[in-house]
Coordinates of all heavy atoms in Angstrom, one line a residue:
K9 N 87.1 96.3 82.6 CA 87.2 97.8 83.0 C 88.6 98.3 82.8 O 88.9 99.3 82.2 CB 86.7 97.9 84.4 CG 86.9 99.3 85.0 CD 86.6 99.3 86.5 CE 87.3 100.5 87.2 NZ 87.1 100.5 88.6
H10 N 89.6 97.5 83.3 CA 91.0 97.9 83.2 C 91.6 97.9 81.8 O 92.4 98.8 81.5 CB 91.8 97.2 84.3 CG 91.5 97.6 85.6 ND1 90.5 97.1 86.4 CD2 92.1 98.7 86.4 CE1 90.5 97.7 87.6 NE2 91.4 98.7 87.6
K11 N 91.2 96.9 81.0 CA 91.6 96.9 79.6 C 91.1 98.1 78.9 O 91.7 98.7 78.1 CB 91.3 95.6 79.0 CG 92.1 94.4 79.4 CD 93.6 94.5 79.2 CE 94.1 94.4 77.8 NZ 95.5 94.5 77.7
F12 N 89.8 98.4 79.2 CA 89.1 99.6 78.5 C 89.8 100.9 78.9 O 90.2 101.7 78.0 CB 87.7 99.6 78.9 CG 86.9 100.9 78.4 CD1 86.4 100.9 77.1 CD2 86.8 102.0 79.2 CE1 85.8 102.1 76.7 CE2 86.2 103.1 78.8 CZ 85.7 103.2 77.5
L13 N 90.1 101.1 80.2 CA 90.7 102.3 80.7 C 92.1 102.4 80.1 O 92.6 103.5 79.7 CB 90.8 102.3 82.2 CG 89.5 102.5 82.9 CD1 89.7 102.3 84.4 CD2 88.9 103.9 82.7
H14 N 92.8 101.3 80.0 CA 94.2 101.2 79.5 C 94.2 101.6 78.0 O 95.0 102.4 77.6 CB 94.7 99.9 79.8 CG 96.2 99.8 79.5 ND1 97.1 100.3 80.4 CD2 96.9 99.2 78.5 CE1 98.3 100.1 79.9 NE2 98.2 99.4 78.8
F15 N 93.3 101.0 77.3 CA 93.3 101.1 75.8 C 92.8 102.4 75.3 O 93.4 103.1 74.5 CB 92.5 99.9 75.2 CG 92.8 99.7 73.8 CD1 94.0 99.1 73.3 CD2 91.8 100.1 72.8 CE1 94.2 99.0 72.0 CE2 92.1 100.0 71.5 CZ 93.3 99.4 71.0
F16 N 91.6 102.8 75.9 CA 91.0 104.0 75.4 C 91.3 105.3 76.1 O 91.3 106.4 75.6 CB 89.4 103.8 75.4 CG 89.0 102.8 74.4 CD1 88.6 101.5 74.8 CD2 88.9 103.1 73.1 CE1 88.2 100.6 73.9 CE2 88.5 102.1 72.1 CZ 88.1 100.9 72.6
K17 N 91.6 105.2 77.4 CA 91.9 106.4 78.2 C 93.4 106.5 78.6 O 93.8 107.5 79.3 CB 91.1 106.3 79.5 CG 89.6 106.1 79.3 CD 88.8 107.3 79.0 CE 87.3 107.1 79.0 NZ 86.6 108.3 78.7
E18 N 94.2 105.5 78.2 CA 95.6 105.4 78.6 C 95.8 105.6 80.1 O 96.7 106.3 80.5 CB 96.4 106.5 77.8 CG 96.4 106.2 76.3 CD 97.3 107.1 75.5 OE1 97.9 108.0 76.1 OE2 97.4 106.9 74.3
K19 N 94.9 105.0 80.8 CA 94.9 105.1 82.3 C 95.5 103.8 82.8 O 95.1 102.7 82.4 CB 93.5 105.2 82.9 CG 93.1 106.7 83.1 CD 91.9 106.7 84.0 CE 91.5 108.1 84.4 NZ 90.2 108.1 85.1
K20 N 96.5 103.9 83.7 CA 97.1 102.7 84.3 C 96.3 102.3 85.6 O 95.6 103.1 86.2 CB 98.5 103.0 84.7 CG 99.5 103.0 83.4 CD 100.9 102.9 83.9 CE 101.8 102.8 82.7 NZ 101.7 101.6 81.9
Y21 N 96.5 101.0 85.9 CA 95.9 100.6 87.2 C 96.6 101.3 88.4 O 97.8 101.5 88.3 CB 96.1 99.0 87.3 CG 95.9 98.5 88.8 CD1 94.6 98.2 89.2 CD2 97.0 98.4 89.6 CE1 94.4 97.8 90.5 CE2 96.8 97.9 91.0 CZ 95.5 97.7 91.4 OH 95.3 97.2 92.7
S22 N 95.8 101.6 89.4 CA 96.4 102.3 90.6 C 95.9 101.5 91.8 O 94.8 101.1 92.0 CB 95.9 103.7 90.7 OG 96.2 104.2 92.0
M23 N 96.9 101.3 92.7 CA 96.6 100.6 94.0 C 95.6 101.4 94.8 O 94.9 100.9 95.7 CB 97.8 100.3 94.8 CG 98.6 101.5 95.3 SD 100.2 101.0 95.9 CE 100.7 102.4 96.9
Y24 N 95.5 102.7 94.5 CA 94.6 103.5 95.3 C 93.1 103.3 95.0 O 92.2 104.0 95.5 CB 95.0 105.0 95.2 CG 96.3 105.3 95.8 CD1 97.4 105.6 95.0 CD2 96.6 105.1 97.1 CE1 98.7 105.7 95.5 CE2 97.8 105.3 97.7 CZ 98.9 105.6 96.9 OH 100.2 105.7 97.4
E25 N 92.8 102.4 94.0 CA 91.4 102.0 93.8 C 90.9 101.3 95.0 O 89.7 101.3 95.2 CB 91.4 101.0 92.7 CG 91.7 101.5 91.3 CD 91.7 100.5 90.2 OE1 91.2 99.4 90.5 OE2 92.3 100.7 89.2
L26 N 91.8 100.7 95.8 CA 91.3 100.0 97.0 C 91.2 101.1 98.2 O 92.1 101.8 98.5 CB 92.4 99.0 97.4 CG 92.4 97.8 96.5 CD1 93.7 97.0 96.6 CD2 91.2 96.9 96.7
P27 N 90.0 101.1 98.8 CA 89.7 102.1 99.8 C 90.7 102.1 101.0 O 91.2 103.2 101.4 CB 88.3 101.8 100.3 CG 87.7 101.0 99.2 CD 88.8 100.3 98.5
A28 N 91.1 100.9 101.4 CA 92.1 100.9 102.6 C 93.4 101.5 102.2 O 94.1 102.1 103.1 CB 92.3 99.4 103.0
V29 N 93.9 101.3 100.9 CA 95.1 101.9 100.5 C 95.1 103.4 100.5 O 96.0 104.1 101.0 CB 95.5 101.4 99.1 CG1 96.9 101.9 98.7 CG2 95.6 99.8 99.1
R30 N 93.9 104.0 100.1 CA 93.7 105.4 100.1 C 93.6 105.9 101.5 O 94.2 106.9 101.9 CB 92.4 105.8 99.4 CG 92.4 105.7 97.9 CD 91.2 106.4 97.2 NE 89.9 106.1 97.8 CZ 89.2 105.1 97.3 NH1 89.6 104.3 96.3 NH2 88.0 104.8 97.8
D31 N 92.9 105.2 102.3 CA 92.7 105.6 103.7 C 94.0 105.7 104.5 O 94.2 106.6 105.3 CB 91.7 104.7 104.5 CG 90.3 104.9 104.0 OD1 90.0 105.9 103.3 OD2 89.4 104.1 104.3
Y32 N 94.9 104.7 104.2 CA 96.2 104.7 104.9 C 97.0 105.9 104.4 O 97.7 106.6 105.2 CB 96.9 103.4 104.6 CG 98.2 103.3 105.3 CD1 98.3 103.3 106.7 CD2 99.4 103.2 104.6 CE1 99.5 103.2 107.4 CE2 100.6 103.1 105.2 CZ 100.7 103.1 106.6 OH 101.9 103.0 107.3
R33 N 97.0 106.1 103.1 CA 97.8 107.3 102.5 C 97.3 108.6 103.1 O 98.1 109.5 103.5 CB 97.6 107.3 101.0 CG 98.2 108.5 100.3 CD 97.7 108.6 98.9 NE 96.2 109.0 98.9 CZ 95.5 109.0 97.8 NH1 96.0 108.7 96.6 NH2 94.2 109.3 97.9
D34 N 95.9 108.7 103.3 CA 95.3 109.9 103.8 C 95.3 110.1 105.3 O 94.7 111.0 105.8 CB 93.9 110.1 103.2 CG 93.9 110.1 101.7 OD1 94.9 110.4 101.1 OD2 92.8 109.8 101.1
G35 N 95.9 109.1 106.0 CA 96.0 109.2 107.5 C 94.7 108.8 108.2 O 94.6 109.1 109.4

């Protein structure tokens, strides 16, 4: 998945893929 996103969509990995990391950021 991440190699595909990186290669074809030029999308980098983000730690916010993990729900807890998002939830902490969002309070």
